[in-house]
Amino acid sequence: MTITQEDELDGMKEIGRIVANTMHAMSRAMEPGMTTRELDAIGRSLLEREGALSAPEASYDFPGATCISVNEEIAHGIPGDRVIAPGDLVNIDVSASKNGYFADTGASFCLSPKRTQLDRLCRDGKRAMQIGIAQVGAGKPLAGIGQAIGRFATARGYTLIRNLASHGVGRSLHEYPEEIATWPMQGERRRIDRGLVLTVEPFLSTGGRWASEGEDGWTLYSDPCAPVVQYEHTVVATERRAIVVTLPG
C-alpha cells in the first residue's frame, strides 16, 4: 500500500492504534498461571470491541486471534493450554483489520523474575527495531534497514533470524514489498516510495539464525536453539521520516 490521501493515513492510524492498544493491554494482563488461550481471549475481546478483525485468523485461518509464542517458540505460536510461568519470555503479535486497513505490531516481554541476559536481549531487540525504523524514508534504499540492524547486532554480539522478514502491509496483511530483510542482504536494489506502508520487525537472538516450523504447521522455533525476541511496528514512509502508526492511545 502506498498512501496518497489523508483519509488513508487516518485509516491506518485507527487500526494501528487498535492493535497497539490490544497488545499492550494483553501484556499488562499477562501473569504466571494464565494459559496462552486465556491471554488470547483478552486480545480477541478487545479487537471485537473496536470492530476489528484478527488478520491471521481471517486471512490464513490461523487458530487464534493473536500469536503468542513462549520461550523456545519464536513466532506464530498457537494460543492453547500452555501455562505461562515466572521468568518466561513471551512474544505477543497482534495484527488486525478495520474498514479495509491492516496493521501489525508485536513485542517480547520478560516475566519476573527477570533473567539478566533476557532482559538485555529485550532492550536491545527494541533498539534494533528503532534503528531499522530510522532508515525508513522516501527514496532511501530498502536494504538500509537490514544493514543498519545488522551493524547493531554484530557490534553487540547478536545474531538475526534470516528467514523471518519485514513486509508490506496496509490493504492486506502481507503485500508488496513481500520481503524486506532485517539483516544485511546483497543485491537488494529497491528503494522506498513516499507513502509506502511496511513493517519493521527484526528477530534478534543470542545465537539463532533460522526459523524452523514445528509439527503443528504454524509455530516457529530457533535453529540453532537460542532465545529470540521480536519487536514490530507498522510505519509509513514520508519525505522526512517514518510515521509509526502502531502507537497506543
Side-chain angles (χ1 to χ4, degrees), residues 108-128:
S108 298
F109 303 91
C110 298
L111 274 70
S112 296
K114 295 183 178 181
R115 290 172 277 173
T116 302
Q117 184 188 43
L118 289 184
D119 198 33
R120 176 177 176 267
L121 179 61
C122 285
R123 290 196 305 270
D124 285 343
K126 186 174 183 179
R127 179 62 180 146

Side-chain angles (χ1 to χ4, degrees), residues 44 53-67 76-79 95 102 173-174 216-219:
R44 179 184 299 280
L53 294 174
S54 162
E57 192 172 56
S59 300
Y60 300 111
D61 201 26
F62 179 76
T66 66
C67 299
H76 303 166
I78 298 173
S95 54
F102 288 72
L173 181 55
H174 296 97
D216 62 19
W218 289 104
T219 308

